[in-house]
Amino acid sequence: MASHPLKSLLQLQLASDSSSVLHLSSVLSTLSEDILSPSPHLQKWTSRVTALIHSKDAGARWAGICIAYRTLSLSKSTMSEFAQSWAGLALSILTKPEPLPLLKASIRYLRHVLSAATDVPELQRQLATPTVPKFSQALVSIVERAADYELKALAMDTLKDMVVLYPSLNRALSSSITNVCHQILNGSAPQCTNKLLLYKAASLYAVLHYTGGKVGAANLWKKSVDETLQCLWTASMGLRTTFPGKALNNPSPSNGLTCDDPVLAVALNLDRLQCCATALCSLLRTTVQRPVHVPIGRIMELCLFLLACTAEEEKEGHVDATVRALELAIVPELQSSACDLLCCLAKTVQHRLTPYVSRLVVMITYHLEQNPLPERRCSLLQCIQALLSNSFPTGGELSSTRLVKGVMLSLMPLLSTQSDAHTGEMSSGQSKKGRKRRRDYEGDEVFKLSKDVICSSIAEGKVILCALDALQVTMRGAELQSAIRSLACRVMLSLSLSLTAMSCSSLSQDVHLHSLVLAKVNGMCLELARGTTSAMSRSLGLVLRSTVTEGSEHTMQIKLQVQQEADLLLHPRGPPLVRPLPHVEALSLFRAEENNEELAARKSLALATTYDANIMDVVADPNAVTPTPEPTPQPVPTHLPIPTPKITAPEPISISSPVPTSQKMTSSTTTASTKDSADIPSAISGQQPTKSLLPPSSTQMELTPPTVEPRIIPVMVNHDDEEEEEGMPIIDMESDSDG
C-alpha cells in the first residue's frame, strides 16, 4: 500500500530546514487539492509549516511562507483555521530587516489572505479588521525606506489593492499614502524617475479617493485632478522660460523639489511633467462610484499648448544659451506628453471630444509633415487613431486630405525605390542585346549580395503598424477628395503586391512583423473593396488574399473570418452603407485614366509608376545610345526642303531635367542646326521631391534639388498605348534611291 503524499514529503523533502529550501520547487509542484483534503497527516503538515516560519534560518522562513501560501490557496478549510496565525507571523517579518525574498513572499502571502477574506465574513471580522491597518502602515514604511525598486513597486501595488478592498480601514493612512505618492510623482533630477515606480505610484494615487466613501469620493477625485493639472501647468511653464508665452492665472508654488541650477531645473521640470501626465492618465482611467465632471476644457487647453510648442520663437532680451539649448532639445518630449494625454482622454470621454478634433487633426498633421523621428511619429499616429476612433466624423475635406497624405508618407519605405524597379524591369523588359550591353557596364553593384533592412529598429516597425491603423480609421469616415482616395487605394494595392514578393528578413529583423503588416494591408484592401455589388464582383483576389496570412497569431482569427468573407463574396447584397464609397470604375487603375489632380497628388508624395521607370531607363541609359556617324558633306538642295517629321516621346509623369547632348538621338537626315536638335525632348528623370515632405505646390518641387528616390507604384498598361508609344520610322526625303 502506497503511503500518503504528505507523509512522504514530511519524511523526505521537509525533514530538515536545509532540505526544505533545496526541495521547495518540487514540494510546491506536488501539492494539490486532493492531497490537502482532510486526513490524519494534514495536522502534521500544518505543524511543520508553522515550525518552518518560526525557524531562525532566513531560508527556512522563506520556504515556510511559500508553502503556507500554496497550502491556503488550495485548501479553504485550512485557510479558515490557520490563516490568522500565519498572517501574524508574516506581519512580524515585515517589521524587521529581513532579506528581500522573505519580504516579498510575506507581502504576497498577506495580500492573498486579505483578498480572500472578503468572501468569508468570519475572516473579515477576525483577520482583516485588525490586520489591514498594520499591514498598510508596514507597506508605507517599506516604500519610504526600501532601496530596491521591485520591493517598493510590490509594496505600492499591494497597498493599492488594500485601499480598494478596505477603504474605510485605510482612511486614517490616506495622508501618509498621499505624501508617499507625491514624493515619487514630483520627479527627480538629474536622474529621472524609475518607470516601474512611476506607474505604480500613479495607480496608487488614482485610487486614494476610495477612502472618502461614496459621498466624498467624487470630491477627492476632483481635487486630485485639479492639483495634477496645476502641477502640469507649472512644469510646462518652467520648460518655456526662453520662449514667449502666457502666464498662469493662479500660479502656485510647487510642493515638490526645487533646484537653483537652471540646467538641473530643466531636467526636473521635464521629469515632473511626465510624472504628472502619467498620474492624470491614471486618474482618468480609474473608477469613480458616482458621476463626476471631467474638466475637458482645461485638459484640452494644456494639450493644445504643448502641441503648439515649437523651436522657432524666442524671448526678447537676454537668454541663457545653455538653458535655451536644453529647452529646444525637449520640444519633442512636450509633444509626446500631449499625445499620451490626448489618447487617454479620447478613450475616456469618447465623442465628447468631437468639438476639438478638427483643430487637433490640423496640428498633428503639421507635425507629421515635418518628418519627425520614428518614436515621435509613432506617438502622433497613435494619437490620430485614438481621436478618430472615439469621436464622430468631422467635416473638412482639406484637413482630411492633408492627413491622409501625411500618414501615407510613413508607408512609403515599404514600396520599392526607383533603382530597385529599374533592376527588375531591365532584367525582364529589355532585349537580349540590351541586357548584354548593360552587363558590360555593371560595376560594384554586381557584388552586392544583401539588401538593407527596411525597418532597422523596433520603432520603425511600430510606425508602419500605427500608420496602417491611422489610415484605416481616416478613410472610414473622413471626407476625402476623389483623387486622394483613389491614390490611397492604389498605394494599398501596391503594398499588397510588394509585400507578397518581399521576404520577411528584408522587412525587419523581427520575422513576425511581415505577417502583421501583410494581414493589416490585406484587410484594408478588402475593406476598401466592400462598396457595391459591382465592386465586390471584381474583388475575388482581395478576398482570397486576405484569408491567407502567415503567422500563428492570426490563424484562429482567419478561421473565424473565412465563413463571413466567403458569404460576403457569394451574397454581396446587404443594407446600404452610410459612408460614401467610390465605385470600382472611379478608381484610376490604368495610367491613361489618371487625371491631372491625382497626378499632382502623386507627385507631391514622391511616387512614380513602373511606366516612368521604363521611360527613364530607355532614355537615360548610356549603353543604349548609338554612336553618331562622322559628318559627311551634304549636296546642295535644288528644291524646297520638305520638313522632316520630328520624333516626339510620350509625355512623362515626372519632372524633366537636362540631359547631356551625347545622350540625344540623332538622325542621318537631320541638319546640324541647334534649332532642330532642341526639338528633341530631353531625357526624363524621376520625380525630385523637395526637402519638405508635403510641398504646397509643384512649382517649388522643380526648384529644389533631389533628396530621396521616388517610390514605384506598379500599374497596368494597355497594349494599345505601348503600340502608340513606338517611335515613327524616319524617311529620308532627299535620297535619290528607289529602294
Side-chain angles (χ1 to χ4, degrees), residues 70 145 179 207 248 254 306 343 425 473 537 601 739:
R70 181 66 174 170
R145 59 181 172 83
N179 293 333
V207 299
L248 287 175
S254 176
L306 295 177
C343 289
E425 291 295 331
V473 175
S537 62

Side-chain angles (χ1 to χ4, degrees), residues 145-159:
R145 59 181 172 83
D148 186 70
Y149 287 155
E150 294 183 357
L151 179 60
K152 296 175 72 172
L154 177 61
M156 285 188 290
D157 195 16
T158 306
L159 193 57

Side-chain angles (χ1 to χ4, degrees), residues 415 487 490-491 494 602 607-611 711-715:
L415 294 175
L487 182 60
R490 293 171 60 191
V491 169
S494 301
R602 182 166 62 81
L607 293 174
T609 61
T610 53
Y611 172 76
R711 304 288 169 172
I712 304 300
I713 301 180
V715 298

